[in-house]
Amino acid sequence: MLYIRKIFRQDLRDGKQIAFPKEPSNQFFNFSYNPADSDRQISFKFKEDDSTSSNYSFTGKLINTRLYAAGSESRIDGELKQFLKDFLNAQIDDIIVFTKKRSDTSFEFKFVPQSSGNYSFFHLLLNNSNHEVSLIESNTNEEQPEDLTILSDNVLNQIIYKSFVYIHENFREDVLFKNINFREFRINSNSFQGICIDQYFGSNHLLGQFTSQKDDESLKSGGIKRFFANSFSILGNSNTYLSNQWSEEGDNARSLNSFNKFLSDVTEDNLRIVKNESVFHLISKGNYFFKPINKIFYGAPGTGKSHKVNNLVKGKDNRVQRITFHPEYDYATFIGSYKPKMDGDNIKYEFVPQAFINIYTKAWNNPHKDFYLVIEEINRGNCAEIFGDIFQLLDRDSNYNITPALELENHLKSVLTDEQKGLESGKLKLPNNLTIYATMNTSDQSLFPMDSAFKRRWDWEYIPICYDETTDEGDSNPSYNYIIDLGNGATFKWNEFISNVNLNHIQQNPVLGMDKCIGNYFVKPKKGETTIDVDTFINKAIFYLWNDVFKDEKNIVFYDEEGKLVAYESFFPIKIEGVQKLIELLERVEVTVNISTENSGTVEDEVTN
């Protein structure tokens, strides 16, 4: 059972005890103030799951106090209030989440400040009130997981909206939006793209994607509101709205039954909405539902591998651990190690966890949320050394878990909420809600080659170079419109350049191949612009082609018509020599230089000035 409440001004005021109204008193504390029950001694144990929080050191703090009746409310003495004020620095409108399992005298509580990434979720659960009690329904079989009421509301539309917010915050988009179709719809004069999932909702749209933000009036037709007013950022569109046209009965279109089928499938039969008397509840069976993924995104430099990963973890920054491998990265930097610490005048050693153990702990302690470890440039580090025995855990389907070092085991015992899950029988095992993404630049794959045992434990996704206006997924390709400014009105298209050089001079060369191609975003303009200056182009693109691609190759890219080498040094100074050398190179690779008719000067004029 959960009791969620805001912190009020009187909760923090000297001389005022913390008070509880009728519902939490009766349902949560099982205590009546009218007629008055006898005073009861109770305890609250503080719990903080986030090991990076400044409050983490207070985890396990036990507060003993008294629950008693006081006229029209129940109260507890001031010990909890003092802890909130003096140690947690609680402020008005912060949230406390109390947890009760079976005892009426022993409780846990979490503190959710307004700066917390979870604040909006718990604020939503409050349903515009100051108090909310949610129930845990226990199965009769104690070995089975408990059914947890995550959300409640007495209005069908609202419970569906809240449930959608919940799954959108806690699941990946590739899980939620499989087998979708886009259809054109209109609402009054506004056209929009409808996201349709035919197997659940027929030809009806679940969501509408607009080109701009909408207000209540623009989401109405025939005087009836067709969408919820709060927008979502879904599939790259931040103006996406959930349909509010839901019925309680029926199997077709947008009904409670069809939404429950959708919930069941995307959560592997874990979530459903049930109605108890006049109240709807979002119920979790407690057997959490994440599909584990280890995936490496690979391709030529500049193809957008990191951008792909960023989109996958967008909006989940507080559940992402991002690191970059490099030649000095090792097991201790990745997992953790014993380090010295001053204890008064003495030196003591304690285990200091690093990226992997930090995210491992968070994932096990929060099994209802998805967590991500993102490894940039995975092949720039020695993976065999960095992962060590941990690499065995990447084989998610294997029963071969590993025994941690004693120091690591003791650390995990001190931070895991449930040792039986994160340290089962003294062994490590990756939680299903921890996804590991990595990026690999194929032009650097010779730095630290990966052995086949390591490679087979990953899924692989190639990120190709796109030469068209849209990608294979139908998304726009911003790099298609990039231009290089040579000065004095002369420009050429970045897309034409990489297309000609990659396809005609790199990919066709059996010694080079795709690994050395230039990706769409190898060179990028400033944010919000489409023009790249010639200095950036020569210092990055031309240098890469000279130093990393054609250094040992005789190719017309750097050899003129007479077979004479055009060395990289000859492009400097850029304004005096570089622009002209670049124009000659562009002619050899058959890239068109465009001269603006609005500019009366010529490129040669600028070069000679």
Side-chain angles (χ1 to χ4, degrees):
M1 183 179 291
L2 298 179
Y3 168 38
I4 308 165
R5 67 168 280 157
K6 281 186 178 180
I7 293 176
F8 311 119
R9 186 180 303 278
Q10 56 265 35
D11 293 336
L12 305 178
R13 186 184 302 160
D14 290 339
K16 179 72 175 177
Q17 311 310 312
I18 295 182
F20 305 100
K22 183 177 181 180
E23 185 182 61
S25 294
N26 292 352
Q27 294 188 19
F28 186 76
F29 292 107
N30 193 25
F31 183 84
S32 173
Y33 55 78
N34 185 23
D37 287 339
S38 301
D39 292 2
R40 181 186 302 166
Q41 295 298 313
I42 62 175
S43 64
F44 296 94
K45 185 178 181 180
F46 178 64
K47 182 180 179 182
E48 172 57 68
D49 297 330
D50 185 357
S51 60
T52 65
S53 169
S54 59
N55 297 326
Y56 187 73
S57 60
F58 302 126
T59 295
K61 171 70 174 176
L62 192 65
I63 299 168
N64 296 307
T65 188
R66 175 179 64 116
L67 177 66
Y68 61 97
S72 62
E73 60 190 20
S74 60
R75 297 179 182 175
I76 58 173
D77 285 330
E79 294 87 353
L80 178 59
K81 179 178 71 173
Q82 289 305 123
F83 180 71
L84 291 169
K85 288 175 56 178
D86 298 345
F87 292 91
L88 302 185
N89 192 31
Q91 305 294 317
I92 297 170
D93 286 339
D94 289 345
I95 290 174
I96 316 174
V97 181
F98 296 98
T99 305
K100 172 185 176 181
K101 298 206 172 180
R102 294 177 176 82
S103 171
D104 288 332
T105 60
S106 181
F107 306 88
E108 286 185 344
F109 74 100
K110 295 182 180 181
F111 174 58
V112 186
Q114 295 167 68
S115 59
S116 169
N118 293 326
Y119 184 82
S120 61
F121 173 67
F122 285 108
H123 188 269
L124 177 69
L125 297 189
L126 283 169
N127 194 26
N128 296 319
S129 66
N130 296 320
H131 300 263
E132 185 73 23
V133 176
S134 293
L135 305 177
I136 292 179
E137 301 174 359
S138 297
N139 291 322
T140 54
N141 185 349
E142 291 296 326
E143 295 183 357
Q144 295 300 316
E146 295 177 327
D147 280 0
L148 171 65
T149 297
I150 300 174
L151 302 163
S152 299
D153 204 286
N154 58 4
V155 179
L156 174 64
N157 277 9
Q158 289 301 314
I159 192 64
I160 287 181
Y161 174 77
K162 290 179 179 180
S163 300
F164 186 81
V165 170
Y166 179 80
I167 62 175
H168 183 250
E169 288 183 346
N170 290 287
F171 290 83
R172 298 185 303 270
E173 287 191 344
D174 61 333
V175 173
L176 296 180
F177 305 119
K178 295 182 292 186
N179 303 318
I180 64 173
N181 295 305
F182 291 92
R183 295 191 179 96
E184 292 287 340
F185 293 90
R186 295 187 68 84
I187 180 169
N188 296 326
S189 61
N190 294 312
S191 62
F192 65 90
Q193 284 270 345
I195 296 179
C196 305
I197 312 180
D198 294 356
Q199 66 188 104
Y200 307 113
F201 311 112
S203 60
N204 296 275
H205 57 269
L206 172 66
L207 299 144
Q209 294 196 319
F210 294 82
T211 56
S212 61
Q213 189 174 0
K214 301 299 176 185
D215 57 20
D216 280 355
E217 287 302 315
S218 60
L219 293 174
K220 290 181 179 178
S221 67
I224 299 174
K225 193 173 175 182
R226 304 297 179 177
F227 294 91
F228 293 99
N230 296 327
S231 62
F232 297 87
S233 179
I234 291 174
L235 301 175
N237 185 315
S238 59
N239 301 306
T240 304
Y241 296 83
L242 177 68
S243 172
N244 70 347
Q245 301 295 292
W246 297 95
S247 62
E248 188 174 341
E249 303 295 333
D251 294 323
N252 299 318
R254 290 181 292 257
S255 67
L256 175 59
N257 197 29
S258 61
F259 190 78
N260 266 333
K261 289 178 181 178
F262 171 65
L263 279 179
S264 177
D265 282 358
V266 299
T267 67
E268 297 188 2
D269 196 32
N270 186 74
L271 291 181
R272 69 190 187 281
I273 296 173
V274 299
K275 188 177 183 181
N276 185 6
E277 296 182 349
S278 61
V279 180
F280 297 96
H281 304 280
L282 176 66
I283 299 295
S284 167
K285 292 183 179 179
N287 52 332
Y288 299 108
F289 31 74
F290 297 97
K291 183 178 180 181
I293 294 176
N294 312 322
K295 179 176 282 190
I296 294 176
F297 298 91
Y298 68 103
T303 51
K305 299 177 289 294
S306 295
H307 180 72
K308 172 82 172 184
V309 173
N310 286 343
N311 282 340
L312 291 171
V313 301
K314 188 175 181 180
K316 303 178 181 180
D317 292 347
N318 61 331
R319 305 202 297 276
V320 177
Q321 189 89 42
R322 188 184 296 273
I323 55 178
T324 302
F325 280 4
H326 54 78
E328 299 303 317
Y329 212 87
D330 58 14
Y331 184 85
T333 314
F334 185 51
I335 305 297
S337 64
Y338 251 48
K339 291 186 178 181
K341 180 180 179 181
M342 294 301 300
D343 183 14
D345 295 332
N346 301 317
I347 298 176
K348 71 174 185 179
Y349 284 80
E350 63 180 28
F351 184 86
V352 178
Q354 298 298 331
F356 178 83
I357 293 301
N358 285 334
I359 201 72
Y360 179 92
T361 303
K362 289 180 179 179
W364 276 118
N365 285 346
N366 299 274
H368 60 295
K369 294 184 177 181
D370 52 348
F371 288 81
Y372 300 85
L373 176 63
V374 176
I375 305 172
E376 300 281 8
E377 307 287 355
I378 190 171
N379 56 320
R380 293 187 64 84
N382 187 335
C383 291
E385 177 185 353
I386 295 170
F387 277 86
D389 55 352
I390 296 297
F391 104 100
Q392 182 71 41
L393 301 183
L394 296 173
D395 197 348
R396 304 270 193 157
D397 297 327
S398 172
N399 292 320
Y400 297 104
N401 302 330
I402 65 170
T403 302
L406 180 61
E407 297 84 0
L408 175 55
E409 181 180 1
N410 289 336
H411 169 76
L412 290 174
K413 286 179 177 179
S414 70
V415 296
L416 285 171
T417 303
D418 187 349
E419 288 181 25
Q420 294 305 310
K421 294 181 179 179
L423 197 58
E424 185 176 355
S425 301
K427 302 289 180 65
L428 300 181
K429 182 178 181 179
L430 286 184
N432 286 345
N433 60 326
L434 176 58
T435 290
I436 306 178
Y437 289 138
T439 64
M440 188 176 88
N441 188 343
T442 51
S443 68
D444 295 331
Q445 62 182 321
S446 61
L447 291 175
F448 288 99
M450 300 176 184
D451 59 64
S452 57
F454 185 81
K455 285 182 176 180
R456 76 169 181 83
R457 285 168 165 80
W458 297 82
D459 295 329
W460 294 75
E461 182 174 329
Y462 179 66
I463 306 299
I465 300 169
C466 178
Y467 303 112
D468 301 318
E469 288 189 71
T470 58
T471 66
D472 291 341
E473 293 79 18
D475 299 324
S476 63
N477 173 17
S479 70
Y480 187 84
N481 297 314
Y482 292 172
I483 60 171
I484 315 300
D485 183 9
L486 294 170
N488 209 34
T491 62
F492 66 93
K493 293 183 178 180
W494 165 251
N495 188 73
E496 183 183 2
F497 177 81
I498 62 172
S499 176
N500 288 10
V501 170
N502 287 341
L503 301 179
N504 301 331
H505 300 279
I506 298 179
Q507 190 173 331
Q508 300 301 323
N509 188 319
V511 178
L512 301 175
M514 285 296 295
D515 292 346
K516 295 295 184 180
C517 287
I518 302 177
N520 296 86
Y521 307 101
F522 188 93
V523 179
K524 294 188 292 186
K526 293 179 180 179
K527 190 172 182 178
E529 299 181 4
T530 58
T531 301
I532 301 166
D533 63 87
V534 69
D535 293 62
T536 299
F537 180 83
I538 288 177
N539 280 295
K540 295 186 73 172
I542 298 300
F543 178 72
Y544 171 73
L545 291 173
W546 168 262
N547 192 67
D548 295 325
V549 181
F550 296 113
K551 189 173 183 179
D552 301 313
E553 297 289 317
K554 187 170 183 179
N555 189 288
I556 64 169
V557 176
F558 288 104
Y559 281 82
D560 63 20
E561 291 78 358
E562 299 176 357
K564 183 180 179 181
L565 176 66
V566 182
Y568 179 67
E569 291 79 5
S570 64
F571 285 79
F572 297 89
I574 291 177
K575 298 301 181 187
I576 299 174
E577 299 290 343
V579 172
Q580 187 58 45
K581 293 294 184 185
L582 179 55
I583 291 173
E584 294 169 0
L585 184 154
L586 295 172
E587 185 178 354
R588 293 195 296 273
V589 298
E590 300 181 342
V591 171
T592 303
V593 176
N594 301 296
I595 308 294
S596 173
T597 56
E598 297 178 2
N599 195 309
S600 59
T602 64
V603 175
E604 287 76 14
D605 289 336
E606 181 177 331
V607 172
T608 56
N609 284 342

